[in-house]
Amino acid sequence: MARALDHLSLFSSVLSFSFLLAFLCCFETCHSFKPKYFNLSRAGTHWASAGATWYGSPEGAGSDGGSCGYGNAVSQPPFSSMITGIGPSLYKSGKECGACYQVKCTKRMHPSCSGRPVRVVITDFCPGGPCASQSAHFDLSGTAFGAMAIPGQEEKLRNVGVLEIRYARVACDYSGKTIAFHVDLGANPNSFSVLVEFEEGDGDLAGVALKETLKGSGKWRAMQQSWGAVWKLDAGYELKPPFSIQLTSQYSGQTLVAKNVIPDGWKPGSTYRSLVNYL
């Protein structure tokens, strides 16, 4: 009798879980449910240890641009010099360009540390030295490194050398900006390339696809990551604008579409803003 009750209890638990799973699927979460990444917030929750250095001028934006391709945008809003180069473990061959982290240091790490977390965006790659030897390393701009200090003690903190910090992945927040597409200077109708900027939320991209909106087939064509945050399509024929662009997040797998974002008559070097973003 006891064994039968145990079997009945197990059956009820399985049945309850099945109903719960079916309920979630009704709201289209089954295909993208990833417990590890389900609640990416704008405040750090899962903190880990890393090393940190800084580069460029003490109150600057590191270098003018960096390996992600953002150019002088790194010193302008919304990046506002709060950027970082990153070691290979987090750079992931440029797939993590645009991802956001909070970084902080405490008085245990250095007396000039404020303990206040600051948000930075990955815009560059740091290939050698501690960036390569440590399991995680942030090569921050002078501005971002100093922002971890007690006000007035930024210079003391920047004189440390390699600093132990804590870091956490967070959602990007670009104050309501929509995703922008900066057409590469080398783009042409047969080989189209574009830099993708200001992805809120997850911040990074796993895939980009292009569709010739007015063409009969309406087929999405996968673009290849050219370098950093620049994506390219070598079509093999003359592409007919306007173009819609589909973006898939590396972090959550969420997909969105910027419809007709690249207009007829587009020009290399021009930036076109969409009407969409992840948040």
Side-chain angles (χ1 to χ4, degrees):
M1 180 66 177
R3 182 174 297 179
L5 289 173
D6 287 342
H7 283 306
L8 181 60
S9 177
L10 177 61
F11 176 77
S12 298
S13 298
V14 171
L15 190 62
S16 297
F17 178 77
S18 299
F19 276 120
L20 175 62
L21 191 60
F23 176 81
L24 291 173
C25 286
C26 287
F27 288 91
E28 299 182 347
T29 58
C30 285
H31 70 283
S32 60
F33 183 74
K34 297 182 179 181
K36 183 178 178 181
Y37 306 135
F38 192 64
N39 288 316
L40 187 61
S41 69
R42 291 179 178 176
T45 53
H46 302 292
W47 293 90
S49 295
T53 47
W54 64 278
Y55 71 119
S57 62
E59 297 180 358
S63 63
D64 186 9
S67 64
C68 288
Y70 297 119
N72 61 9
V74 297
S75 62
Q76 302 168 6
F79 293 133
S80 301
S81 301
M82 294 298 291
I83 56 88
T84 186
I86 205 78
S89 65
L90 295 177
Y91 186 70
K92 297 180 181 176
S93 301
K95 285 291 199 303
E96 293 302 312
C97 285
C100 294
Y101 285 84
Q102 281 187 337
V103 294
K104 65 180 179 179
C105 64
T106 64
K107 290 187 181 299
R108 180 187 66 79
M109 299 163 179
H110 191 275
S112 295
C113 290
S114 70
R116 181 175 63 89
V118 296
R119 186 173 58 243
V120 295
V121 184
I122 294 177
T123 62
D124 205 353
F125 176 53
C126 182
C131 292
S133 62
Q134 294 186 314
S135 58
H137 190 92
F138 290 74
D139 197 21
L140 298 155
S141 69
T143 297
F145 198 95
M148 295 187 293
I150 295 170
Q153 298 189 30
E154 294 86 355
E155 185 176 355
K156 289 182 179 179
L157 191 63
R158 284 192 287 261
N159 287 335
V160 171
V162 179
L163 177 68
E164 180 189 354
I165 64 167
R166 300 282 286 170
Y167 75 97
R169 179 72 185 269
V170 294
C172 293
D173 180 4
Y174 293 121
S175 302
K177 275 187 176 289
T178 54
I179 293 174
F181 299 87
H182 181 78
V183 180
D184 191 69
L185 286 172
N188 61 69
N190 296 284
S191 181
F192 183 78
S193 51
V194 65
L195 169 75
V196 186
E197 299 177 299
F198 313 138
E199 306 98 276
E200 291 225 352
D202 296 344
D204 54 10
L205 293 173
V208 179
L210 179 147
K211 181 168 68 173
E212 299 165 88
T213 311
L214 299 183
K215 195 172 181 179
S217 64
K219 178 182 178 182
W220 287 107
R221 299 196 60 181
M223 302 181 76
Q224 303 299 314
Q225 184 191 13
S226 178
W227 58 280
V230 178
W231 294 75
K232 181 178 182 179
L233 174 61
D234 290 319
Y237 64 90
E238 184 174 337
L239 294 163
K240 303 295 184 183
F243 305 145
S244 293
I245 297 183
Q246 181 186 77
L247 307 172
T248 302
S249 168
Q250 172 82 9
Y251 194 83
S252 67
Q254 183 183 355
T255 296
L256 58 77
V257 173
K259 188 175 181 181
N260 297 335
V261 68
I262 308 298
D264 194 9
W266 61 266
K267 297 183 183 301
S270 295
T271 298
Y272 301 97
R273 295 200 175 277
S274 72
L275 299 176
V276 297
N277 215 323
Y278 280 101
L279 290 178

